[in-house]
């Protein structure tokens, strides 16, 4: 097999499926098999397993087990039935399973912020439960939600946004 990079001119003038491409050797057309590589990218919020969900003082915390390391993730969505709150959120990462109290967690962000405003009379509900952090490939995430203004945040679940890319033929 020979790997050939097609220049811009060939790519521009050839059919989109490259079926009109010809290979010449010493001026004679040579039979060939064309194999193209393409990258397939998938991304979506994936349900995640929560462990060690607890509250201590003015903080709620939990650990998310993504099931395996290596999948790129850069934000999570916290599910809650709580209303009328503003809270700051920190996210930490680890490649090993650690207790929530371990000092071996790596800080990804301490600038997360979630909130909800609910008006029972009108049924109006607005808020944001997503927290962004730098791209990460660790298996475990620790999330700490600090009580801010309003109600305490009661966590019912979380999803992590994962991105996976693979080459296909």
């Amino acid at each position: 097999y020979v790997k050939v990079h097609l220049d811009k001119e060939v790519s521009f003038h050839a059919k989109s499926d490259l079926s009109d491409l010809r290979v010449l050797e010493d001026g004679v057309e040579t039979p060939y098999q064309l194999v193209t590589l393409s990258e397939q990218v998938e991304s979506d919020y994936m349900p995640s397993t929560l462990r060690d969900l607890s509250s201590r003082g003015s903080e709620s915390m939990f650990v998310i087990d993504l099931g395996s390391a290596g999948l790129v993730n850069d934000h999570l969505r916290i599910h809650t039935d709580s209303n009328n709150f503003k809270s700051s959120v920190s996210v930490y990462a680890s490649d090993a399973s650690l207790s929530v109290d371990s000092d071996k967690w790596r800080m990804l962000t301490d600038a997360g912020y979630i909130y909800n405003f609910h008006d029972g009379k009108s049924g109006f509900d607005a808020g944001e439960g997503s927290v962004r952090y730098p791209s990460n490939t660790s298996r475990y995430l620790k999330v700490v939600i600090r009580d801010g203004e309003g109600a305490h945040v009661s966590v019912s679940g979380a999803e992590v946004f994962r991105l996976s890319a693979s080459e296909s033929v």
Side-chain angles (χ1 to χ4, degrees):
Y1 286 94
V2 175
K3 185 175 185 177
V4 177
H5 295 279
L6 302 178
D7 62 23
K8 196 182 287 185
E9 186 175 331
V10 171
S11 295
F12 180 76
H13 292 291
K15 290 183 178 177
S16 62
D17 65 356
L18 302 176
S19 62
D20 60 343
L21 192 64
R22 300 291 176 254
V23 176
L24 300 175
E25 185 176 10
D26 296 327
V28 178
E29 189 171 328
T30 302
Y32 69 94
Q33 176 185 17
L34 178 67
V35 177
T36 58
L37 295 177
S38 63
E39 184 175 69
Q40 183 176 1
V41 177
E42 294 180 14
S43 60
D44 201 0
Y45 279 101
M46 304 296 275
S48 303
T49 303
L50 265 59
R51 291 190 350 220
D52 303 329
L53 178 59
S54 61
S55 293
R56 184 181 313 144
S58 63
E59 295 181 335
S60 296
M61 61 191 77
F62 56 91
V63 174
I64 298 174
D65 182 350
L66 299 177
S68 64
L71 292 176
V72 177
N73 57 88
D74 66 359
H75 64 281
L76 60 91
R77 184 166 45 202
I78 298 168
H79 297 285
T80 179
D81 294 326
S82 300
N83 291 317
N84 298 318
F85 65 85
K86 297 179 200 174
S87 296
S88 59
V89 179
S90 297
V91 180
Y92 303 81
S94 175
D95 296 320
S97 180
L98 302 171
S99 74
V100 291
D101 295 323
S102 174
D103 61 356
K104 294 182 181 178
W105 289 98
R106 294 184 321 274
M107 169 76 71
L108 294 176
T109 187
D110 64 352
Y113 181 74
I114 59 174
Y115 65 94
N116 174 273
F117 174 75
H118 178 78
D119 180 26
K121 286 184 181 180
S122 68
F124 178 78
D125 194 60
E128 178 60 57
S130 295
V131 177
R132 293 195 169 277
Y133 48 86
S135 292
N136 172 60
T137 59
S138 296
R139 176 176 175 167
Y140 301 96
L141 299 173
K142 178 175 92 167
V143 179
V144 178
I145 304 169
R146 286 174 296 288
D147 284 348
E149 295 179 33
H152 173 78
V153 178
S154 177
V155 176
S156 59
E159 298 174 304
V160 175
F161 188 82
R162 296 184 226 177
L163 179 70
S164 63
S166 60
E167 281 191 357
S168 59
V169 178

